[in-house]
Amino acid sequence: MAKTITERADILPRLAEIFREYGYEGASLAIIGARTGLGKGSLYHFFPGGKEEMAAAVIDEIGQWFEHRIYEPLRNSADPQAALMSMCDDVSAYFHSGRRICLIGAFALDNVRDRFAARVNDYFAAWRSALADALQRRGDTASRAETLSEDTLIAIQGALVLARALDQPELFQRSMDRIRADLSAQAT
Amino acid sequence: MAKTITERADILPRLAEIFREYGYEGASLAIIGARTGLGKGSLYHFFPGGKEEMAAAVIDEIGQWFEHRIYEPLRNSADPQAALMSMCDDVSAYFHSGRRICLIGAFALDNVRDRFAARVNDYFAAWRSALADALQRRGDTASRAETLSEDTLIAIQGALVLARALDQPELFQRSMDRIRADLSAQAT
DNA sequence: TCAAGATTGTACCGATTAGTACAGGGCTGG
DNA sequence: CCAGCCCTGTACTAATCGGTACAATCTTGA
């Protein structure tokens, strides 16, 4: 049979888009096969654990992307305030200015939540903690950093839900602008 | 066969809980039958349109509950500020202090979104508009009312996502407290 | 009391599901 | 040049999916 020289890592982004579009249950192997161009043989070769392993791998890859691009700079950048602004830009770009949903957030509301609960938890916990770290490093009190990091994540997730529900991506943009402003305000 | 004197309206709350727990696709007719105690015969008697009609009826009922309990007071109450505070209480109770998710929000992120897009849109649009109405009636400018109503809905939905993702219902409570405070702040 | 309509359990349907088995082609190291 | 491993298409399974059909029973109005 034909060999397609595909790496496991190469199909992860495509898998992510599929899960975003159809959800975990809605993404049938037939759809996955059609959209990735891979047959069942290949899919189960790369992911012996089936759909569950595919979704887990996708979540892990997303987590790593955020770790390198968002969390790590928030924790280690010499200029925490700049890292905060950079986070806003990257997040806005990542979610395609509100046209793309957060797969992890969607999984959190889904019935498959229990299956990936640990990963979902880790994703948000790491984000919140990195955010609070940057806020404290820039001078916020621990309590203020706690509240502001929580509110920021809430606003991002809520804006994604509402933008999708109302079919108004610009709503997400507007919310990100407000988040940027809140993160720019002088610390207490 | 046995007659169970069940009204269509009586099973809607139970259906709502099932959809909340399993999602639209995850709620199979087998599960629905088991959890409602109704056989397929009864289910298709009450909902000839099948699962789709069940979900639509559930969304409509939720919409009506919010209309009577939340939107209507926001629009018509003599004391708009009191209606705002009352909304916070009712919303907090409705979502079981963060232990219950918003079915409409979950549907918005789900792949069944397109099927119920109009209803999902209506739910949030009505809420936002009623909220903005109360804010203007209490003295906020149109622009301020627009922003604040949007931010309030974003915070509620985001808090529900995050509380569920982190398995911390108290996070929702904290966020609701902040929302209450923001809605209490003097208008500009 | 009894006919008519409302309600319900059960058997069944074709389609689709995730997953398995495996043969065979393609690539690569020796 | 070829043995062996990596990759992949196909056929298959058992289970479950949403939905239909219908006969049997129950309730109700006359």
Side-chain angles (χ1 to χ4, degrees):
Chain A
M1 308 296 169
K3 168 122 181 208
T4 35
I5 324 172
T6 324
E7 297 270 339
R8 188 184 134 119
D10 292 339
I11 37 181
L12 283 181
R14 244 179 297 189
L15 278 178
E17 271 338 291
I18 295 168
F19 282 127
R20 253 182 257 273
E21 188 167 344
Y22 296 96
Y24 180 77
E25 311 236 50
S28 70
L29 289 181
I31 293 177
I32 295 175
R35 296 272 299 246
T36 57
L38 273 69
K40 285 193 176 185
S42 308
L43 288 171
Y44 275 89
H45 173 72
F46 288 120
F47 305 96
K51 246 172 81 166
E52 181 148 357
E53 186 175 343
M54 297 180 208
V58 163
I59 299 178
D60 285 344
E61 213 225 11
I62 293 175
Q64 278 172 28
W65 190 92
F66 273 82
E67 170 61 32
H68 294 134
R69 287 288 296 255
I70 315 271
Y71 310 158
E72 201 272 333
L74 284 174
R75 277 195 301 264
N76 301 331
S77 160
D79 185 347
Q81 184 63 39
L84 289 167
M85 293 301 105
S86 179
M87 177 192 89
C88 291
D89 296 341
D90 287 345
V91 164
S92 189
Y94 181 83
F95 291 119
H96 295 176
S97 306
R99 272 171 278 109
R100 199 196 211 188
I101 66 165
C102 176
L103 184 60
I104 322 283
F107 274 11
L109 295 186
D110 201 277
N111 63 317
V112 296
R113 186 198 161 276
D114 296 337
R115 223 187 298 221
F116 304 110
R119 281 175 226 264
V120 168
N121 197 313
D122 287 351
Y123 171 80
F124 286 110
W127 195 347
R128 177 167 62 170
S129 135
L131 200 39
D133 192 283
L135 289 168
Q136 278 198 257
R137 291 200 299 120
R138 80 166 188 187
D140 284 21
T141 66
S143 140
R144 161 84 176 158
E146 187 77 16
T147 300
L148 191 48
S149 60
E150 203 167 282
D151 263 351
T152 302
L153 291 196
I154 285 174
I156 292 172
Q157 292 299 314
L160 288 171
V161 171
L162 222 60
R164 170 58 66 103
L166 293 170
D167 197 25
Q168 293 179 358
E170 66 273 18
L171 187 150
F172 175 76
Q173 290 282 62
R174 260 181 278 150
S175 183
M176 282 304 299
D177 288 342
R178 268 171 263 153
I179 290 171
R180 240 181 288 255
D182 290 344
L183 290 176
S184 300
Q186 205 49 34
T188 304
Chain B
M1 306 297 171
K3 168 124 182 206
T4 37
I5 324 172
T6 325
E7 297 271 338
R8 188 185 134 119
D10 292 339
I11 35 181
L12 283 180
R14 246 179 295 188
L15 277 179
E17 273 334 294
I18 296 168
F19 282 128
R20 255 183 256 272
E21 186 166 345
Y22 297 96
Y24 180 77
E25 311 237 48
S28 70
L29 288 181
I31 293 178
I32 295 175
R35 297 272 299 246
T36 57
L38 273 69
K40 286 191 176 188
S42 308
L43 287 171
Y44 275 88
H45 173 73
F46 288 121
F47 306 95
K51 245 172 82 164
E52 182 148 355
E53 186 175 343
M54 296 179 207
V58 164
I59 299 179
D60 286 344
E61 212 225 13
I62 294 175
Q64 277 171 30
W65 190 93
F66 274 82
E67 171 61 31
H68 293 134
R69 287 287 297 253
I70 315 270
Y71 310 158
E72 201 272 333
L74 285 174
R75 279 195 299 266
N76 302 329
S77 161
D79 184 347
Q81 185 63 38
L84 289 168
M85 293 301 105
S86 178
M87 176 191 88
C88 291
D89 296 340
D90 287 345
V91 163
S92 189
Y94 181 84
F95 291 118
H96 294 177
S97 306
R99 272 172 277 109
R100 199 196 210 190
I101 67 165
C102 175
L103 184 60
I104 323 283
F107 274 11
L109 296 185
D110 200 275
N111 63 318
V112 295
R113 185 198 162 277
D114 297 337
R115 222 186 298 221
F116 306 109
R119 287 179 161 89
V120 168
N121 197 312
D122 286 350
Y123 171 80
F124 287 110
W127 196 346
R128 177 166 63 170
S129 133
L131 200 39
D133 192 282
L135 289 168
Q136 278 198 257
R137 291 200 300 120
R138 80 166 188 187
D140 284 22
T141 65
S143 139
R144 162 84 176 157
E146 187 78 15
T147 301
L148 190 49
S149 60
E150 202 167 282
D151 264 349
T152 301
L153 291 196
I154 285 175
I156 293 171
Q157 292 298 314
L160 288 171
V161 170
L162 222 61
R164 170 59 66 102
L166 292 170
D167 197 25
Q168 293 180 358
E170 66 273 17
L171 186 149
F172 176 77
Q173 290 281 63
R174 261 181 277 148
S175 183
M176 281 305 299
D177 289 343
R178 268 171 262 150
I179 290 170
R180 241 181 289 255
D182 290 344
L183 289 176
S184 299
Q186 204 48 35
T188 303

